[in-house]
Amino acid sequence: EAYLSADMVSPNQSDISRYYADPDMLLVHMHMAIPRFQTHYQELASKLSLNPEQLTDILSTLEKLEMIAFRDGRYFVLQDHLHLKANSSLQQASAKLLRLRGLHKSGKDAYQFGVVISADEDARQKIKKRFMEFLSDAEKIVKDAPSEEVYQICFDLVRW
């Protein structure tokens, strides 16, 4: 994916498939980049609707995967800025699970939009190109932004 500078991972790397198969693991991992959750990680259980045992299991797995480390009373993110190939079956499943997990989010900060269109292949290619440009721009914005909240961006361009 030439439009992103994030490190591409292969699903057969250690237990990385477990990481991408569990949307809660992705969410906990990203929340560990936020300073307040590095020391008050127990708050994530209620924020993400997890029971304390689930959170403990996820944190343990993230440590085993060397995604995070716990020392001096706080968590540190060791690996971030990762993604799978767009056409990876694991990425597709992970995106769908995360999207479903996010559907219950609502309120003034949630923005969700969907549309079904009729167009031709040329229009589809132009839309896809513009979205790839958007991803590249968004990545630059995210890299420079302080970690204060976790957000989810979804884009589907599916031929019916």
Side-chain angles (χ1 to χ4, degrees):
E1 328 279 315
Y3 51 89
L4 292 176
S5 66
D7 296 330
M8 191 175 312
V9 295
S10 171
N12 56 4
Q13 277 184 284
S14 70
D15 278 334
I16 204 72
S17 58
R18 181 171 178 206
Y19 173 78
Y20 281 102
D22 184 349
D24 292 326
M25 195 166 309
L26 292 166
L27 291 170
V28 170
H29 180 221
M30 288 299 95
H31 277 87
M32 287 296 105
I34 300 171
R36 75 176 183 270
F37 292 119
Q38 292 171 354
T39 54
H40 297 92
Y41 51 91
Q42 302 90 340
E43 294 175 15
L44 282 177
S46 62
K47 181 176 186 197
L48 299 176
S49 300
L50 302 170
N51 67 49
E53 293 78 23
Q54 285 175 294
L55 180 60
T56 299
D57 181 53
I58 289 170
L59 291 169
S60 175
T61 300
L62 289 170
E63 285 185 277
K64 288 176 188 167
L65 293 173
E66 298 180 348
M67 299 269 193
I68 62 172
F70 187 80
R71 62 180 176 270
D72 301 324
R74 66 183 287 229
Y75 280 99
F76 295 86
V77 175
L78 302 176
Q79 292 186 52
D80 63 357
H81 212 63
L82 304 170
H83 76 96
L84 294 166
K85 286 185 177 183
N87 62 353
S88 156
S89 59
L90 184 56
Q91 187 283 330
Q92 292 171 5
S94 176
K96 288 175 184 171
L97 288 169
L98 192 56
R99 191 170 304 113
L100 288 171
R101 179 77 164 81
L103 285 177
H104 78 279
K105 298 302 253 178
S106 62
K108 65 179 177 93
D109 292 334
Y111 177 78
Q112 297 167 332
F113 175 80
V115 64
V116 178
I117 60 171
S118 175
D120 65 1
E121 180 60 22
D122 184 54
R124 187 187 81 77
Q125 288 297 329
K126 288 176 182 174
I127 292 167
K128 182 178 177 185
K129 181 179 184 283
R130 293 284 303 271
F131 186 71
M132 297 303 137
E133 292 166 357
F134 164 78
L135 280 180
S136 181
D137 291 344
E139 181 182 41
K140 292 170 191 163
I141 293 167
V142 169
K143 277 184 178 180
D144 294 337
S147 295
E148 295 177 359
E149 294 291 340
V150 173
Y151 299 93
Q152 172 181 335
I153 300 172
C154 301
F155 179 76
D156 298 309
L157 185 57
V158 178
R159 180 187 320 243
W160 289 97

